[in-house]
Amino acid sequence: MNNKNTKKITRKIYCFLSILAVLTLLFSCMGCSKKTPREALEEAYEKTFTKGTPTETLLGLTELTSRTKGNNSFSSGLSLSLQELSGEAVGEYAGILSGLGVNIDTASDLGNKKSAGTMDITYGGTTYLTLGGQLNDSKLFLTVPQLLAGSLSIDFSTLKEDLASDSMLAQLFSEAGLTLPENFSPDSLTSFITPDFLTNLTKFTAAYEALDQAIIVEKADKKSVALPSDVSAKNVYNVTIPKDAYVELINAAVQSLTDYSASLLEAMGETGTEELDLAEFEASVIKLADSVGDIVFTVAVTKDGYISYAESKITSEANTFTLTGTFSGKKHPLHDTEVVFEADVDDETVSISYENSFDTSSNEITFSTGIELNGMTMFTCSGEGTFTDVEKGKKYTLDFNYLEFEAANVLSVSLAGSYYVDTTKCNIPSPTGTEYHLFRMNQEDFTSLALEVITNLQKDPLLSGLLKNLDLGF
């Protein structure tokens, strides 16, 4: 063979092998990057409900929520005023009650063992009564500034000694046979998160993780799935939650709650009068699960990688439960949301619906929810609000243009107000004026306290009316 021809053939072989190697590498990379149905659906879930949601984009809820956890300080509050009230349940009092309002403000600074809350009762925009509470380390303060210039206090660090004294309340407690448990400490009253509860929570978390791992995700044949005509879908998935996995989760949840309640009662020196028969409960859950079987969801994902629709139908004996969710916003699915739950139980149909819409140009959100029984509306709730004073990840205020509730044409309530969360400030001023130690006061101290309250009541034209219905024994 000619040497030149040999070299040409050799070069062609090397060229072919090089091309083959490149193509093999490309196909190999494509195979590695191809997502499993579960990975694809998890990515769509994150994109739809976690990352880039309308409220997350505007408010930075993930960062803001982390700022309100642990020992971080923050403040929050809710203000509501009654605009209109009608219905058979209130009758002639409807006109009088309109204008009544409540303002609730809270502050938390757990890093310094401080927390506080106040509730203002208002009428026509004027505050008539303010109830306040503050926990400062081991001391609890109660205030009503309209009635008392100072504060009432309980010191948990000395409560055992105070109850053993000859003070008026200590004697009343003793006569009533009320005593503190031997293992009492301030922490048993100021903390509801006990080590036992954390252990049980770990058990529940393990059951949840086991359920998550047991979920089966399969890509469905889109032609074989009947989707609503207005639902856009590139891919459709069947999500199966195995029976054994959700049974284990339910039992773990009930076990955690039961154990936590028992540990809390034990910390308070009490025992439960009635205990849940866990074996009987677990047997009933298994029986129900046997009739229901695995739970299957049909989930549709758009070409943009968002979840646009989810549906599940559960049948147990003669009962049927159907859940459908449609997420149809143009820029983001959650700009417009509709969720419907229907249950056919004992020849009756119950329907629960929820809808919301979010306008990013005006930061306005509207929502409505309703409950129907056999096609008859039993309860509705609707509202409209606007997000203001927004500092992403730090604070926001939601001003309610209206909140309306209606119950089966018997009661109709219309409210207006606002809600806020602010991680940039936390004001907890120390109580001022005379401090009345409730468990250290004698009868003379209580008489002086009662006289001050009555005097201030008489000075207020609205609150003084309460005296007519009170018999204080003076």
Side-chain angles (χ1 to χ4, degrees):
M1 182 181 292
N2 189 300
N3 190 37
K4 290 183 178 180
N5 291 335
T6 302
K7 289 181 178 180
K8 286 181 179 179
I9 293 172
T10 302
R11 281 198 298 268
K12 288 180 180 180
I13 292 173
Y14 275 119
C15 184
F16 173 76
L17 291 175
S18 298
I19 294 172
L20 181 62
V22 171
L23 290 174
T24 302
L25 179 63
L26 287 174
F27 280 112
S28 176
C29 290
M30 288 175 65
C32 291
S33 63
K34 185 177 180 180
K35 301 181 182 69
T36 65
R38 183 184 177 107
E39 290 170 340
L41 189 57
E42 285 178 346
E43 186 177 286
Y45 178 87
E46 288 285 329
K47 187 175 182 180
T48 306
F49 300 106
T50 305
K51 300 174 181 177
T53 62
T55 50
E56 177 64 32
T57 301
L58 175 65
L59 307 177
L61 286 179
T62 302
E63 181 184 353
L64 193 149
T65 301
S66 67
R67 286 173 173 267
T68 61
K69 291 182 177 179
N71 292 329
N72 297 322
S73 60
F74 67 97
S75 58
S76 62
L78 174 67
S79 174
L80 292 173
S81 62
L82 187 60
Q83 304 297 298
E84 292 183 9
L85 183 66
S86 62
E88 299 174 3
V90 290
E92 60 185 22
Y93 297 103
I96 300 174
L97 293 175
S98 295
L100 188 66
V102 59
N103 301 327
I104 300 173
D105 292 285
T106 65
S108 175
D109 185 6
L110 297 182
N112 293 310
K113 296 185 177 181
K114 289 183 177 181
S115 60
T118 60
M119 181 172 68
D120 294 329
I121 307 299
T122 66
Y123 190 81
T126 302
T127 300
Y128 283 94
L129 193 65
T130 301
L131 307 176
Q134 181 180 139
L135 189 61
N136 192 334
D137 200 0
S138 62
K139 225 174 192 183
L140 175 66
F141 296 91
L142 303 173
T143 59
V144 188
Q146 291 84 358
L147 304 180
L148 191 65
S151 61
L152 307 176
S153 70
I154 300 174
D155 192 339
F156 294 122
S157 65
T158 62
L159 188 56
K160 276 189 175 182
E161 293 80 1
D162 293 339
L163 285 175
S165 69
D166 59 354
S167 67
M168 185 174 175
L169 280 183
Q171 292 179 18
L172 291 175
F173 268 60
S174 178
E175 292 171 1
L178 300 174
T179 58
L180 290 176
E182 290 297 326
N183 60 347
F184 170 83
S185 70
D187 292 338
S188 65
L189 286 178
T190 58
S191 176
F192 287 90
I193 305 298
T194 66
D196 287 338
F197 175 64
L198 293 176
T199 301
N200 295 322
L201 185 61
T202 303
K203 294 176 183 177
F204 172 76
T205 304
Y208 176 80
E209 290 175 350
L211 178 140
D212 182 60
Q213 293 300 318
I215 290 176
I216 301 169
V217 181
E218 299 172 307
K219 193 171 182 179
D221 181 3
K222 197 166 64 170
K223 294 180 181 179
S224 65
V225 179
L227 296 174
S229 58
D230 58 343
V231 171
S232 172
K234 179 183 178 181
N235 294 310
V236 179
Y237 299 90
N238 288 328
V239 181
T240 303
I241 305 175
K243 175 186 67 176
D244 293 341
Y246 70 74
V247 166
E248 183 179 348
L249 181 66
I250 293 172
N251 289 335
V254 174
Q255 180 73 63
S256 297
L257 182 60
T258 302
D259 290 347
Y260 171 58
S261 300
S263 63
L264 184 61
L265 287 172
E266 183 180 355
M268 300 296 293
E270 300 178 12
T271 57
T273 54
E274 295 183 9
E275 294 185 1
L276 177 66
D277 188 334
L278 289 176
E280 183 179 347
F281 177 82
E282 290 177 3
S284 64
V285 172
I286 292 173
K287 182 180 179 180
L288 177 63
D290 286 339
S291 64
V292 171
D294 297 341
I295 297 175
V296 181
F297 279 86
T298 299
V299 183
V301 177
T302 67
K303 65 178 181 180
D304 297 321
Y306 291 107
I307 292 177
S308 59
Y309 181 77
E311 179 187 30
S312 181
K313 191 172 185 178
I314 302 171
T315 301
S316 172
E317 297 176 351
N319 303 323
T320 301
F321 305 87
T322 303
L323 175 68
T324 60
T326 304
F327 316 100
S328 56
K330 292 182 179 180
K331 293 183 179 180
H332 189 281
L334 298 190
H335 283 165
D336 292 292
T337 302
E338 180 181 4
V339 178
V340 178
F341 172 80
E342 289 187 351
D344 294 319
V345 181
D346 297 332
D347 297 325
E348 291 190 326
T349 301
V350 179
S351 176
I352 303 174
S353 62
Y354 171 81
E355 295 181 41
N356 80 264
S357 179
F358 187 81
D359 187 342
T360 54
S361 61
S362 63
N363 293 339
E364 185 176 275
I365 185 170
T366 59
F367 73 90
S368 65
T369 184
I371 300 175
E372 291 185 357
L373 178 62
N374 297 328
M376 180 180 297
T377 300
M378 304 302 295
F379 175 82
T380 60
C381 173
S382 60
E384 178 183 277
T386 305
F387 289 104
T388 62
D389 191 29
V390 175
E391 191 172 339
K392 188 175 180 179
K394 295 181 178 180
K395 65 176 183 176
Y396 73 88
T397 298
L398 176 58
D399 293 321
F400 296 109
N401 302 329
Y402 69 86
L403 276 173
E404 294 181 348
F405 303 87
E406 187 170 348
N409 299 319
V410 175
L411 179 67
S412 178
V413 181
S414 179
L415 304 166
S418 65
Y419 170 78
Y420 77 89
V421 177
D422 191 344
T423 64
T424 66
K425 67 177 182 180
C426 176
N427 185 28
I428 306 179
S430 299
T432 59
T434 304
E435 181 181 345
Y436 294 90
H437 296 272
L438 281 175
F439 290 98
R440 300 176 191 171
M441 296 170 62
N442 55 34
Q443 188 169 357
E444 184 179 343
D445 295 329
F446 268 102
T447 301
S448 176
L449 173 64
L451 288 174
E452 181 179 351
V453 171
I454 292 172
T455 300
N456 288 324
L457 270 173
Q458 291 173 335
K459 291 179 181 178
D460 190 291
L462 180 66
L463 296 179
S464 61
L466 295 174
L467 286 175
K468 297 178 181 178
N469 300 313
L470 295 177
D471 182 8
L472 299 178
F474 294 103

